[in-house]
Amino acid sequence: MNIKLLVAAHKKYQMPEDAMYLPLHVGAEGKSPIEGFTPDNTGDNISSKNPYYCELTGLYWAWKNLDADYIGLCHYRRYFSACKKVPKTEAEKFKVVLTGEQAEGLLSNADIILPKKRNYYIETIYNHYKHTMYIEPLDITGDVLREKYPEYVKEFEGLKHTRKMHAFNMFIMKKELLDQYCSWLFDVLGEVEKRVDSSQYSDFHKRFFGRISERLLDVWIRTNKLSYAEVPVIDMQNINWPNKIKSFLVAKFTGKRYEKSF
């Protein structure tokens, strides 16, 4: 299998050595090149929309310009790993990121590789978004689906009832599936872009396209009844869990939205 797993990054950072990984400079338009990284502003691209679409500008570039049997997306600080016990140091973590050989084995029995589901425990995916972000763009996404893709509405409405999701916009799938997914995803987001005035939001909240797409991935997978293999996710940088949990609870019970990433 010719698998290319994009590593979305906006700055120089250590990369896995496995040939499957493709370091990708997202939001490269107007920026200085990063040595050894492929920029996302060549060919057919939306690189200039990175402040709004986040890593999706890299996904769009790959969809339009990359030739591979399988294409995936991960992040310079977050990778798939076949290791269940997370090492403590960054150097050790890089030794246990998913390899091309491991990915081939998983894809021989599933349509897609996904991260293990994140469980929000005390509230649904929809309510978590409502408490931490501005809900209007997500609701407008639902309107777009009802008008253009009604077959997806049932699973979209399911976000109001489930507490688990495959997060981070991370996956690996066959190029033919990626074509189908991206054709649908970017059409939906493009229509949302026409209907939402993003200038009303702070720079942090303007990035709602990337966050909405996280919720839409499961909607697309479940509607199309695709099989998947779940793999642990490994964070290269330590997460301040007490601070993250505190912010989560404050958002839920006081309505104070997030103003930064954790």
Side-chain angles (χ1 to χ4, degrees):
M1 299 179 185
N2 177 13
I3 305 173
K4 287 301 177 185
L5 182 49
L6 311 174
V7 185
H10 64 275
K11 63 181 181 180
K12 188 72 173 180
Y13 202 83
Q14 181 179 348
M15 290 287 151
E17 297 180 358
D18 193 287
M20 172 176 69
Y21 291 91
L22 177 65
L24 187 68
H25 181 187
V26 294
E29 184 67 21
K31 307 287 177 54
S32 299
I34 302 177
E35 184 180 357
F37 286 37
T38 298
D40 71 349
N41 65 339
T42 61
D44 188 350
N45 72 87
I46 57 170
S47 180
S48 62
K49 293 185 178 183
N50 183 260
Y52 314 99
Y53 277 68
C54 310
E55 64 273 2
L56 296 184
T57 61
L59 177 61
Y60 185 95
W61 176 86
W63 171 39
K64 293 295 186 179
N65 301 286
L66 187 59
D67 183 20
D69 299 328
Y70 290 80
I71 293 176
L73 180 64
C74 65
H75 309 265
Y76 74 98
R77 294 183 303 173
R78 189 178 291 127
Y79 294 90
F80 291 115
S81 174
C83 181
K84 295 182 179 180
K85 185 176 181 181
V86 179
K88 293 183 179 180
T89 69
E90 187 174 287
E92 292 173 326
K93 290 176 180 178
F94 269 106
K95 294 178 181 179
V96 297
V97 298
L98 191 71
T99 66
E101 183 178 358
Q102 290 168 336
E104 284 193 24
L106 293 167
L107 290 167
S108 65
N109 296 300
D111 294 318
I112 306 171
I113 295 175
L114 294 172
K116 285 189 176 297
K117 286 184 178 179
R118 167 170 280 194
N119 192 335
Y120 287 89
Y121 294 103
I122 63 174
E123 62 183 356
T124 67
I125 301 306
Y126 180 87
N127 283 338
H128 176 69
Y129 195 97
K130 183 177 181 179
H131 293 144
T132 58
M133 306 293 167
Y134 289 92
I135 195 60
E136 291 79 11
L138 187 60
D139 284 342
I140 289 173
T141 301
D143 294 338
V144 171
L145 292 177
R146 277 183 279 275
E147 294 171 21
K148 302 192 70 173
Y149 300 98
E151 65 272 26
Y152 289 90
V153 172
K154 178 181 178 181
E155 294 297 345
F156 181 81
E157 288 298 315
L159 298 177
K160 297 178 180 178
H161 308 290
T162 182
R163 290 174 167 78
K164 296 180 180 181
M165 64 176 279
H166 295 106
F168 314 127
N169 282 322
M170 290 176 62
F171 56 79
I172 305 174
M173 66 178 79
K174 190 174 293 187
K175 181 61 163 62
E176 289 83 351
L177 283 178
L178 186 86
D179 289 339
Q180 297 170 28
Y181 174 56
C182 288
S183 295
W184 173 78
L185 175 67
F186 286 104
D187 186 47
V188 172
L189 295 181
E191 190 59 37
V192 173
E193 187 175 358
K194 295 176 185 177
R195 303 185 188 191
V196 179
D197 178 11
S198 60
S199 66
Q200 64 187 300
Y201 301 128
S202 66
D203 288 346
F204 175 78
H205 284 287
K206 285 177 182 177
R207 302 172 73 82
F208 61 81
F209 295 99
R211 299 181 184 114
I212 288 174
S213 68
E214 285 188 84
R215 279 78 189 164
L216 289 180
L217 179 58
D218 276 340
V219 171
W220 180 76
I221 288 171
R222 288 197 294 262
T223 299
N224 290 288
K225 296 178 172 56
L226 299 172
S227 64
Y228 55 82
E230 291 185 329
V231 178
V233 169
I234 189 166
D235 289 282
M236 290 298 153
Q237 299 176 358
N238 294 328
I239 298 174
N240 187 335
W241 282 108
N243 186 44
K244 190 177 182 71
I245 293 170
K246 177 183 176 181
S247 298
F248 172 48
L249 294 174
V250 168
K252 177 174 175 59
F253 293 111
T254 72
K256 184 179 179 180
R257 298 181 178 91
Y258 290 172
E259 289 300 335
K260 62 179 181 179
S261 299
F262 300 95

